[in-house]
Amino acid sequence: MASSNAERQRAYRQRHLKGLDEDVEMLERINAMVHFRAKLNLERLAVHHGMTQRAVLEWVLEEAVAHVLNTLDGPAQDAFLDLKPTLRSNGSGER
């Protein structure tokens, strides 16, 4: 008997989400509502670079993290990588 779409999707998620097998990427699901301009910009970047939206999002996040790490000293890098909150001023006194 053929699988339904829901059954195929469930099987895909089981195989890929937080996979422990070295041959399977460890994936996490992100569900977020974003402004339509952000979504449009993601689409534009993907088309422009010939990439999937997922690949663009991963690339942009890696670039942002690299940029932040390059601005921090050793202890601050450790805090950042350990997900410890740090207080950073944006110059206007707001957080």
Coordinates of all heavy atoms in Angstrom, one line a residue:
M1 N 0.8 -1.2 0.0 CA 0.0 0.0 0.0 C 0.9 1.3 0.0 O 1.9 1.3 0.7 CB -0.9 0.0 1.2 CG -1.8 1.2 1.3 SD -3.1 1.0 2.5 CE -2.4 1.5 4.0
A2 N 0.5 2.2 -0.8 CA 1.3 3.5 -0.9 C 1.2 4.3 0.4 O 0.1 4.3 1.0 CB 0.9 4.3 -2.1
S3 N 2.2 5.0 0.7 CA 2.2 5.9 1.9 C 1.5 7.2 1.5 O 1.6 7.7 0.4 CB 3.6 6.2 2.3 OG 4.3 5.1 2.7
S4 N 0.8 7.8 2.5 CA 0.2 9.1 2.3 C 1.3 10.1 2.4 O 2.4 9.9 2.9 CB -0.9 9.3 3.4 OG -0.3 9.5 4.6
N5 N 1.0 11.4 2.0 CA 1.9 12.5 2.1 C 2.4 12.7 3.6 O 3.5 12.8 3.9 CB 1.3 13.8 1.6 CG 1.3 13.8 0.1 OD1 2.1 13.1 -0.6 ND2 0.5 14.7 -0.5
A6 N 1.4 12.6 4.5 CA 1.7 12.8 5.9 C 2.7 11.7 6.4 O 3.6 12.0 7.2 CB 0.4 12.8 6.7
E7 N 2.5 10.5 6.0 CA 3.3 9.4 6.4 C 4.7 9.5 5.9 O 5.7 9.3 6.6 CB 2.7 8.0 5.9 CG 1.5 7.6 6.7 CD 0.7 6.5 6.1 OE1 0.9 6.3 4.8 OE2 0.1 5.7 6.8
R8 N 4.9 10.0 4.6 CA 6.2 10.2 4.0 C 6.9 11.4 4.7 O 8.1 11.3 5.0 CB 6.0 10.5 2.5 CG 5.8 9.3 1.7 CD 6.0 9.5 0.2 NE 5.1 10.5 -0.3 CZ 3.8 10.3 -0.7 NH1 3.3 9.1 -0.7 NH2 3.1 11.2 -1.2
Q9 N 6.1 12.4 5.1 CA 6.7 13.6 5.8 C 7.2 13.1 7.2 O 8.3 13.5 7.6 CB 5.7 14.7 5.9 CG 5.5 15.4 4.6 CD 4.4 16.4 4.7 OE1 3.8 16.6 5.7 NE2 4.1 17.1 3.6
R10 N 6.4 12.4 7.9 CA 6.8 11.9 9.2 C 8.0 11.0 9.1 O 8.9 11.1 9.9 CB 5.6 11.1 9.8 CG 5.8 10.6 11.2 CD 4.6 10.0 11.9 NE 3.6 9.4 11.1 CZ 2.4 10.1 10.7 NH1 2.2 11.3 11.2 NH2 1.5 9.5 10.0
A11 N 8.1 10.1 8.1 CA 9.3 9.3 8.0 C 10.5 10.1 7.7 O 11.6 9.9 8.2 CB 9.1 8.3 6.8
Y12 N 10.4 11.2 6.8 CA 11.5 12.1 6.5 C 12.0 12.7 7.8 O 13.2 12.8 8.1 CB 11.1 13.1 5.5 CG 12.1 14.2 5.3 CD1 13.2 14.0 4.3 CD2 12.1 15.4 5.9 CE1 14.1 14.9 4.1 CE2 13.1 16.3 5.7 CZ 14.1 16.1 4.8 OH 15.1 17.0 4.6
R13 N 11.1 13.3 8.6 CA 11.5 13.9 9.8 C 12.2 13.0 10.8 O 13.1 13.3 11.4 CB 10.3 14.6 10.5 CG 9.8 15.9 9.8 CD 8.9 16.7 10.6 NE 7.5 16.1 10.7 CZ 6.6 16.2 9.9 NH1 6.7 16.9 8.7 NH2 5.4 15.6 10.1
Q14 N 11.7 11.8 10.9 CA 12.3 10.8 11.7 C 13.7 10.5 11.3 O 14.6 10.3 12.1 CB 11.5 9.5 11.7 CG 10.1 9.6 12.5 CD 10.3 9.9 13.9 OE1 10.2 11.0 14.4 NE2 10.7 8.9 14.7
R15 N 13.9 10.4 10.0 CA 15.3 10.1 9.5 C 16.3 11.3 9.6 O 17.4 11.0 9.8 CB 15.2 9.8 8.0 CG 14.6 8.4 7.7 CD 14.8 8.0 6.2 NE 14.6 9.0 5.3 CZ 13.4 9.2 4.7 NH1 12.3 8.5 5.0 NH2 13.2 10.2 3.8
H16 N 15.8 12.5 9.6 CA 16.7 13.6 9.5 C 16.7 14.5 10.7 O 17.8 15.1 11.0 CB 16.3 14.5 8.3 CG 16.6 13.9 7.0 ND1 15.7 13.1 6.4 CD2 17.7 13.8 6.3 CE1 16.2 12.6 5.3 NE2 17.5 13.0 5.2
L17 N 15.7 14.7 11.5 CA 15.7 15.6 12.6 C 16.5 15.0 13.7 O 16.3 13.9 14.2 CB 14.3 15.9 13.1 CG 13.5 16.7 12.1 CD1 12.1 17.0 12.7 CD2 14.1 18.1 11.8
K18 N 17.6 15.7 14.1 CA 18.5 15.3 15.2 C 19.0 13.9 14.9 O 19.1 13.1 15.8 CB 17.8 15.3 16.5 CG 17.4 16.7 16.9 CD 16.9 16.8 18.3 CE 16.6 18.3 18.6 NZ 16.5 18.5 20.0
G19 N 19.4 13.6 13.7 CA 19.9 12.3 13.3 C 21.2 12.1 14.0 O 22.1 12.9 14.1
L20 N 21.5 10.9 14.5 CA 22.7 10.5 15.2 C 23.7 9.8 14.3 O 24.8 9.6 14.6 CB 22.4 9.7 16.5 CG 21.6 10.4 17.5 CD1 21.3 9.5 18.7 CD2 22.3 11.7 18.0
D21 N 23.2 9.3 13.2 CA 24.0 8.6 12.2 C 24.9 9.5 11.5 O 24.5 10.6 11.1 CB 23.0 7.8 11.2 CG 23.8 6.9 10.3 OD1 25.0 7.0 10.1 OD2 23.1 6.1 9.6
E22 N 26.1 9.2 11.3 CA 27.1 10.1 10.6 C 26.7 10.4 9.2 O 27.1 11.4 8.6 CB 28.5 9.5 10.7 CG 29.1 9.5 12.0 CD 30.5 8.9 12.0 OE1 31.1 8.8 11.0 OE2 31.0 8.5 13.1
D23 N 25.9 9.5 8.6 CA 25.5 9.7 7.2 C 24.3 10.6 7.0 O 23.9 11.0 5.9 CB 25.2 8.3 6.5 CG 26.4 7.4 6.5 OD1 27.6 8.0 6.4 OD2 26.3 6.2 6.4
V24 N 23.7 11.0 8.1 CA 22.5 11.8 8.1 C 22.8 13.1 8.8 O 23.4 13.2 9.9 CB 21.3 11.1 8.9 CG1 20.1 12.0 8.9 CG2 21.1 9.8 8.2
E25 N 22.5 14.2 8.1 CA 22.6 15.5 8.7 C 21.8 15.7 9.9 O 20.6 15.2 10.0 CB 22.2 16.6 7.7 CG 23.1 16.8 6.6 CD 22.7 18.0 5.7 OE1 23.1 19.1 6.0 OE2 21.9 17.8 4.8
M26 N 22.3 16.4 10.9 CA 21.5 16.7 12.1 C 20.7 17.9 11.8 O 21.3 19.0 11.7 CB 22.4 16.8 13.3 CG 23.0 15.5 13.8 SD 24.0 15.7 15.3 CE 22.8 16.4 16.4
L27 N 19.5 17.8 11.7 CA 18.6 19.0 11.3 C 17.7 19.3 12.5 O 17.3 18.5 13.2 CB 17.8 18.7 10.1 CG 18.6 18.3 8.8 CD1 17.6 18.0 7.7 CD2 19.5 19.4 8.4
E28 N 17.4 20.6 12.6 CA 16.4 21.1 13.5 C 15.4 21.9 12.8 O 15.7 22.6 11.8 CB 17.1 22.0 14.6 CG 18.1 21.4 15.5 CD 17.5 21.0 16.8 OE1 16.3 21.3 17.1 OE2 18.2 20.4 17.6
R29 N 14.1 21.7 13.2 CA 13.0 22.5 12.5 C 12.9 23.9 13.2 O 13.0 24.0 14.4 CB 11.7 21.7 12.7 CG 10.6 22.4 12.1 CD 9.3 21.6 12.1 NE 9.5 20.4 11.3 CZ 9.5 20.3 9.9 NH1 9.3 21.4 9.3 NH2 9.6 19.2 9.3
I30 N 12.8 24.9 12.3 CA 12.5 26.3 12.8 C 11.2 26.7 12.2 O 11.0 26.7 11.0 CB 13.6 27.2 12.3 CG1 15.0 26.9 12.8 CG2 13.3 28.7 12.6 CD1 16.1 27.7 12.2
N31 N 10.3 27.1 13.1 CA 9.0 27.6 12.7 C 8.9 29.0 13.2 O 8.9 29.2 14.4 CB 7.9 26.8 13.2 CG 7.8 25.4 12.6 OD1 7.9 25.3 11.4 ND2 7.6 24.4 13.5
A32 N 8.9 30.0 12.3 CA 8.9 31.4 12.7 C 8.2 32.2 11.7 O 8.2 32.0 10.5 CB 10.3 31.9 12.8
M33 N 7.4 33.2 12.2 CA 6.8 34.2 11.3 C 7.8 35.3 11.2 O 8.3 35.8 12.1 CB 5.5 34.6 11.9 CG 4.5 33.6 12.2 SD 3.9 32.8 10.6 CE 2.9 34.1 10.0
V34 N 8.1 35.7 9.9 CA 9.0 36.8 9.7 C 8.2 37.8 8.8 O 7.3 37.5 8.1 CB 10.3 36.3 9.0 CG1 11.1 35.4 9.9 CG2 10.0 35.7 7.6
H35 N 8.7 39.0 8.8 CA 8.2 40.1 8.0 C 8.3 39.7 6.5 O 9.2 39.0 6.1 CB 8.9 41.4 8.3 CG 8.2 42.6 7.8 ND1 8.2 43.0 6.5 CD2 7.4 43.5 8.5 CE1 7.4 44.1 6.4 NE2 6.9 44.4 7.5
F36 N 7.3 40.1 5.8 CA 7.3 39.7 4.4 C 8.5 40.1 3.6 O 9.0 39.5 2.7 CB 6.0 40.2 3.6 CG 6.0 41.6 3.3 CD1 6.4 42.1 2.1 CD2 5.5 42.6 4.2 CE1 6.4 43.4 1.8 CE2 5.5 43.9 4.0 CZ 5.9 44.4 2.7
R37 N 9.1 41.3 4.0 CA 10.3 41.8 3.4 C 11.5 40.8 3.6 O 12.3 40.6 2.8 CB 10.7 43.2 3.8 CG 9.7 44.2 3.3 CD 10.2 45.6 3.6 NE 10.5 45.8 5.0 CZ 9.9 46.6 5.8 NH1 8.9 47.4 5.4 NH2 10.2 46.7 7.1
A38 N 11.6 40.3 4.9 CA 12.6 39.3 5.2 C 12.5 38.1 4.3 O 13.5 37.5 3.8 CB 12.6 39.0 6.7
K39 N 11.3 37.6 4.2 CA 11.0 36.4 3.3 C 11.4 36.7 1.9 O 12.0 35.9 1.2 CB 9.6 35.9 3.5 CG 9.2 34.8 2.6 CD 9.9 33.5 3.0 CE 9.2 32.3 2.3 NZ 10.0 31.6 1.3
L40 N 11.0 37.8 1.4 CA 11.3 38.2 0.0 C 12.8 38.3 -0.2 O 13.3 37.9 -1.2 CB 10.6 39.5 -0.3 CG 10.7 40.0 -1.8 CD1 10.2 38.9 -2.8 CD2 9.9 41.3 -2.0
N41 N 13.5 38.9 0.8 CA 14.9 39.0 0.7 C 15.6 37.6 0.7 O 16.6 37.4 0.0 CB 15.5 39.9 1.8 CG 15.2 41.4 1.5 OD1 15.1 41.8 0.4 ND2 15.1 42.1 2.6
L42 N 15.1 36.7 1.5 CA 15.6 35.4 1.5 C 15.4 34.7 0.1 O 16.3 34.1 -0.4 CB 14.9 34.5 2.6 CG 15.3 33.1 2.7 CD1 16.8 32.9 3.0 CD2 14.5 32.4 3.8
E43 N 14.3 34.9 -0.5 CA 14.0 34.3 -1.8 C 14.9 35.0 -2.8 O 15.4 34.3 -3.7 CB 12.5 34.6 -2.2 CG 11.5 33.8 -1.4 CD 10.1 34.2 -1.7 OE1 9.8 34.8 -2.7 OE2 9.2 33.8 -0.9
R44 N 15.1 36.3 -2.7 CA 16.0 37.0 -3.7 C 17.4 36.5 -3.6 O 18.0 36.2 -4.7 CB 15.9 38.5 -3.4 CG 14.7 39.2 -3.9 CD 14.7 40.6 -3.5 NE 13.5 41.3 -4.0 CZ 12.9 42.3 -3.4 NH1 13.4 42.7 -2.2 NH2 11.9 42.9 -3.9
L45 N 17.9 36.4 -2.4 CA 19.3 35.9 -2.2 C 19.4 34.4 -2.8 O 20.4 34.1 -3.4 CB 19.7 35.9 -0.8 CG 20.0 37.3 -0.2 CD1 20.1 37.2 1.3 CD2 21.3 37.9 -0.8
A46 N 18.4 33.6 -2.5 CA 18.5 32.2 -3.0 C 18.5 32.2 -4.5 O 19.3 31.5 -5.1 CB 17.3 31.4 -2.4
V47 N 17.7 32.9 -5.1 CA 17.6 32.9 -6.6 C 18.9 33.5 -7.2 O 19.5 32.9 -8.1 CB 16.4 33.7 -7.1 CG1 16.5 33.9 -8.6 CG2 15.1 33.0 -6.8
H48 N 19.4 34.6 -6.6 CA 20.6 35.3 -7.1 C 21.8 34.4 -7.0 O 22.6 34.3 -7.9 CB 20.8 36.6 -6.3 CG 22.1 37.3 -6.7 ND1 22.2 38.0 -7.8 CD2 23.3 37.4 -6.1 CE1 23.4 38.5 -7.9 NE2 24.1 38.1 -6.9
H49 N 21.9 33.6 -5.9 CA 23.1 32.8 -5.7 C 22.9 31.4 -6.2 O 23.8 30.5 -6.1 CB 23.5 32.8 -4.2 CG 24.1 34.1 -3.8 ND1 25.3 34.5 -4.1 CD2 23.6 35.1 -3.0 CE1 25.6 35.7 -3.6 NE2 24.5 36.0 -2.9
G50 N 21.7 31.1 -6.7 CA 21.4 29.7 -7.1 C 21.5 28.7 -6.0 O 22.0 27.6 -6.2
M51 N 21.0 29.1 -4.9 CA 21.0 28.3 -3.7 C 19.6 28.1 -3.2 O 18.7 28.8 -3.6 CB 21.8 29.0 -2.5 CG 23.2 29.3 -2.9 SD 24.1 30.4 -1.8 CE 24.2 29.4 -0.3
T52 N 19.4 27.1 -2.3 CA 18.1 26.9 -1.7 C 18.0 28.0 -0.6 O 19.0 28.5 -0.1 CB 18.0 25.5 -1.0 OG1 18.9 25.4 0.0 CG2 18.1 24.4 -2.0
Q53 N 16.8 28.2 -0.1 CA 16.5 29.2 0.9 C 17.2 28.7 2.2 O 17.8 29.5 3.0 CB 15.1 29.4 1.1 CG 14.4 30.2 0.0 CD 13.0 30.5 0.2 OE1 12.5 30.6 1.3 NE2 12.3 30.6 -0.9
R54 N 17.1 27.4 2.4 CA 17.8 26.8 3.6 C 19.3 27.1 3.6 O 19.9 27.5 4.6 CB 17.5 25.3 3.7 CG 18.3 24.6 4.8 CD 18.0 23.1 4.8 NE 19.2 22.5 5.2 CZ 19.4 21.2 5.2 NH1 18.5 20.4 4.6 NH2 20.5 20.6 5.6
A55 N 19.9 26.9 2.4 CA 21.4 27.1 2.3 C 21.7 28.5 2.5 O 22.7 28.8 3.2 CB 21.9 26.6 0.9
V56 N 20.9 29.4 2.0 CA 21.2 30.9 2.2 C 21.1 31.2 3.7 O 21.9 31.9 4.2 CB 20.2 31.7 1.3 CG1 20.3 33.2 1.7 CG2 20.5 31.6 -0.1
L57 N 20.0 30.8 4.3 CA 19.8 31.1 5.7 C 21.0 30.5 6.5 O 21.6 31.2 7.4 CB 18.5 30.4 6.2 CG 18.1 30.8 7.6 CD1 18.0 32.3 7.9 CD2 16.8 30.1 8.0
E58 N 21.4 29.3 6.3 CA 22.6 28.7 7.0 C 23.9 29.5 6.7 O 24.6 29.8 7.6 CB 22.8 27.3 6.6 CG 21.7 26.4 7.1 CD 21.7 25.0 6.6 OE1 22.5 24.7 5.6 OE2 21.0 24.1 7.1
W59 N 24.1 29.9 5.5 CA 25.2 30.7 5.1 C 25.3 32.1 5.8 O 26.3 32.5 6.4 CB 25.3 30.9 3.6 CG 26.2 31.8 3.0 CD1 27.6 31.9 3.2 CD2 25.9 32.9 2.1 NE1 28.2 32.9 2.5 CE2 27.2 33.6 1.8 CE3 24.8 33.4 1.5 CZ2 27.2 34.7 1.0 CZ3 24.9 34.5 0.7 CH2 26.1 35.1 0.4
V60 N 24.1 32.8 5.8 CA 24.0 34.1 6.4 C 24.3 34.0 7.9 O 25.0 34.8 8.5 CB 22.7 34.8 6.1 CG1 22.5 36.0 6.9 CG2 22.6 35.1 4.6
L61 N 23.7 33.0 8.5 CA 23.9 32.8 10.0 C 25.4 32.5 10.3 O 26.0 33.0 11.3 CB 23.0 31.7 10.5 CG 21.5 32.1 10.5 CD1 20.7 30.9 10.9 CD2 21.3 33.2 11.5
E62 N 26.0 31.7 9.5 CA 27.5 31.4 9.7 C 28.3 32.6 9.6 O 29.2 32.8 10.3 CB 27.9 30.3 8.7 CG 27.4 28.9 9.0 CD 27.9 28.3 10.3 OE1 29.1 28.6 10.7 OE2 27.2 27.5 10.9
E63 N 28.0 33.4 8.6 CA 28.7 34.7 8.4 C 28.5 35.6 9.5 O 29.5 36.3 10.0 CB 28.3 35.4 7.1 CG 28.7 34.6 5.8 CD 30.2 34.7 5.6 OE1 30.8 35.8 5.8 OE2 30.8 33.7 5.2
A64 N 27.3 35.7 10.0 CA 27.0 36.6 11.2 C 27.8 36.1 12.4 O 28.3 37.0 13.2 CB 25.5 36.7 11.4
V65 N 27.8 34.8 12.7 CA 28.5 34.3 13.8 C 30.0 34.5 13.7 O 30.6 35.0 14.7 CB 28.2 32.8 14.0 CG1 29.1 32.2 15.0 CG2 26.7 32.6 14.5
A66 N 30.5 34.3 12.5 CA 32.0 34.6 12.3 C 32.3 36.0 12.6 O 33.3 36.4 13.2 CB 32.4 34.2 10.9
H67 N 31.4 36.9 12.1 CA 31.6 38.4 12.3 C 31.6 38.7 13.8 O 32.5 39.4 14.3 CB 30.6 39.2 11.6 CG 30.6 40.6 11.9 ND1 31.6 41.4 11.3 CD2 29.9 41.5 12.7 CE1 31.5 42.7 11.7 NE2 30.4 42.7 12.5
V68 N 30.7 38.2 14.6 CA 30.6 38.4 16.0 C 31.8 37.9 16.7 O 32.4 38.5 17.5 CB 29.3 37.8 16.6 CG1 29.3 37.8 18.1 CG2 28.1 38.6 16.1
L69 N 32.2 36.6 16.4 CA 33.4 36.0 17.0 C 34.6 36.8 16.8 O 35.5 36.9 17.7 CB 33.5 34.6 16.6 CG 32.5 33.6 17.1 CD1 32.7 32.2 16.4 CD2 32.7 33.5 18.6
N70 N 34.7 37.4 15.6 CA 35.9 38.2 15.3 C 36.0 39.5 16.1 O 37.0 40.2 16.2 CB 36.0 38.6 13.8 CG 36.4 37.4 13.0 OD1 37.1 36.5 13.5 ND2 36.0 37.3 11.8
T71 N 34.9 39.9 16.7 CA 34.8 41.2 17.5 C 35.0 40.9 19.0 O 35.1 41.8 19.8 CB 33.5 41.9 17.3 OG1 32.4 41.2 17.8 CG2 33.3 42.2 15.8
L72 N 35.0 39.6 19.4 CA 35.1 39.3 20.8 C 36.5 38.7 21.2 O 37.1 38.1 20.4 CB 34.0 38.2 21.1 CG 32.6 38.6 20.8 CD1 31.7 37.4 21.1 CD2 32.1 39.8 21.7
D73 N 36.8 39.0 22.5 CA 38.0 38.4 23.0 C 37.7 37.0 23.5 O 36.6 36.5 23.4 CB 38.6 39.2 24.2 CG 37.7 39.4 25.4 OD1 36.6 38.7 25.4 OD2 38.0 40.2 26.3
G74 N 38.7 36.2 24.0 CA 38.6 34.8 24.3 C 37.4 34.5 25.3 O 36.5 33.7 25.0
P75 N 37.4 35.2 26.5 CA 36.3 34.9 27.4 C 34.9 35.2 26.9 O 33.9 34.5 27.1 CB 36.6 35.7 28.6 CG 38.1 36.0 28.6 CD 38.4 36.0 27.1
A76 N 34.8 36.3 26.1 CA 33.5 36.7 25.5 C 33.1 35.7 24.4 O 31.9 35.4 24.3 CB 33.6 38.1 25.0
Q77 N 34.1 35.2 23.7 CA 33.8 34.2 22.7 C 33.3 32.9 23.4 O 32.3 32.3 22.9 CB 35.1 33.8 21.9 CG 35.5 34.8 20.9 CD 36.7 34.4 20.1 OE1 37.3 33.3 20.3 NE2 37.1 35.2 19.1
D78 N 33.9 32.5 24.5 CA 33.4 31.4 25.2 C 32.0 31.6 25.7 O 31.2 30.7 25.6 CB 34.3 31.0 26.4 CG 35.7 30.6 26.0 OD1 35.9 30.1 24.8 OD2 36.7 30.7 26.8
A79 N 31.7 32.7 26.2 CA 30.4 33.0 26.7 C 29.4 33.0 25.6 O 28.3 32.4 25.7 CB 30.3 34.4 27.4
F80 N 29.8 33.5 24.4 CA 28.9 33.5 23.2 C 28.6 32.1 22.8 O 27.5 31.7 22.6 CB 29.5 34.3 22.1 CG 28.8 34.3 20.8 CD1 27.7 35.1 20.6 CD2 29.2 33.4 19.8 CE1 27.0 35.1 19.4 CE2 28.5 33.4 18.6 CZ 27.4 34.2 18.4
L81 N 29.7 31.3 22.7 CA 29.5 29.9 22.2 C 28.8 29.0 23.2 O 28.1 28.1 22.8 CB 30.9 29.3 21.9 CG 31.6 30.0 20.7 CD1 33.0 29.5 20.6 CD2 30.8 29.8 19.4
D82 N 28.9 29.4 24.5 CA 28.2 28.6 25.5 C 26.7 29.1 25.8 O 26.1 28.7 26.7 CB 28.9 28.7 26.9 CG 30.2 27.9 26.8 OD1 30.3 27.0 25.9 OD2 31.1 28.2 27.6
L83 N 26.3 30.1 24.9 CA 24.9 30.6 25.0 C 24.7 31.3 26.4 O 23.6 31.4 26.9 CB 23.9 29.6 24.8 CG 23.9 28.8 23.5 CD1 22.9 27.7 23.4 CD2 23.7 29.8 22.3
K84 N 25.7 31.9 26.9 CA 25.6 32.7 28.1 C 25.3 34.1 27.8 O 25.9 34.7 26.9 CB 26.9 32.6 29.0 CG 27.1 31.2 29.5 CD 28.4 31.2 30.3 CE 28.6 29.8 30.8 NZ 29.9 29.6 31.4
P85 N 24.2 34.7 28.4 CA 23.9 36.1 28.0 C 25.0 37.1 28.4 O 25.6 36.9 29.4 CB 22.6 36.3 28.9 CG 22.5 35.3 29.9 CD 23.4 34.1 29.4
T86 N 25.1 38.0 27.6 CA 26.1 39.1 27.8 C 25.3 40.4 27.6 O 24.4 40.5 26.7 CB 27.3 39.0 26.9 OG1 26.9 39.1 25.5 CG2 28.1 37.8 27.1
L87 N 25.7 41.4 28.3 CA 25.1 42.7 28.1 C 25.9 43.5 27.2 O 27.1 43.7 27.4 CB 25.0 43.5 29.5 CG 24.1 42.8 30.5 CD1 24.1 43.6 31.8 CD2 22.7 42.7 30.0
R88 N 25.3 43.9 26.1 CA 26.0 44.7 25.1 C 25.3 46.0 24.8 O 24.0 46.0 24.6 CB 26.2 43.9 23.8 CG 27.1 42.7 23.9 CD 27.2 42.0 22.6 NE 27.6 42.8 21.5 CZ 28.8 42.9 20.9 NH1 29.7 42.2 21.4 NH2 29.0 43.7 19.9
S89 N 25.9 47.1 24.8 CA 25.3 48.4 24.6 C 25.3 48.6 23.1 O 26.3 48.4 22.4 CB 26.0 49.5 25.3 OG 25.5 50.7 24.9
N90 N 24.2 49.2 22.6 CA 24.1 49.6 21.2 C 24.4 51.1 21.0 O 24.2 51.7 20.0 CB 22.8 49.2 20.5 CG 21.6 50.0 21.2 OD1 21.8 50.8 22.1 ND2 20.4 49.6 20.8
G91 N 24.9 51.7 22.1 CA 25.3 53.1 22.1 C 24.2 54.0 22.5 O 24.4 55.2 22.9
S92 N 22.9 53.6 22.5 CA 21.8 54.4 22.9 C 21.3 54.1 24.3 O 20.3 54.6 24.7 CB 20.7 54.4 21.9 OG 20.1 53.0 21.9
G93 N 21.9 53.2 25.0 CA 21.5 52.8 26.3 C 20.4 51.7 26.3 O 19.9 51.3 27.3
E94 N 20.0 51.3 25.1 CA 18.9 50.2 25.0 C 19.6 48.9 24.8 O 20.8 48.8 24.4 CB 18.0 50.5 23.8 CG 17.3 51.8 23.8 CD 16.5 52.0 22.6 OE1 16.3 51.1 21.8 OE2 15.9 53.1 22.4
R95 N 18.9 47.8 25.2 CA 19.4 46.5 25.0 C 18.8 45.9 23.8 O 17.7 46.1 23.5 CB 19.2 45.6 26.2 CG 20.1 46.0 27.3 CD 20.3 44.8 28.2 NE 19.3 44.9 29.3 CZ 19.0 43.8 30.0 NH1 19.5 42.7 29.7 NH2 18.1 43.9 30.9

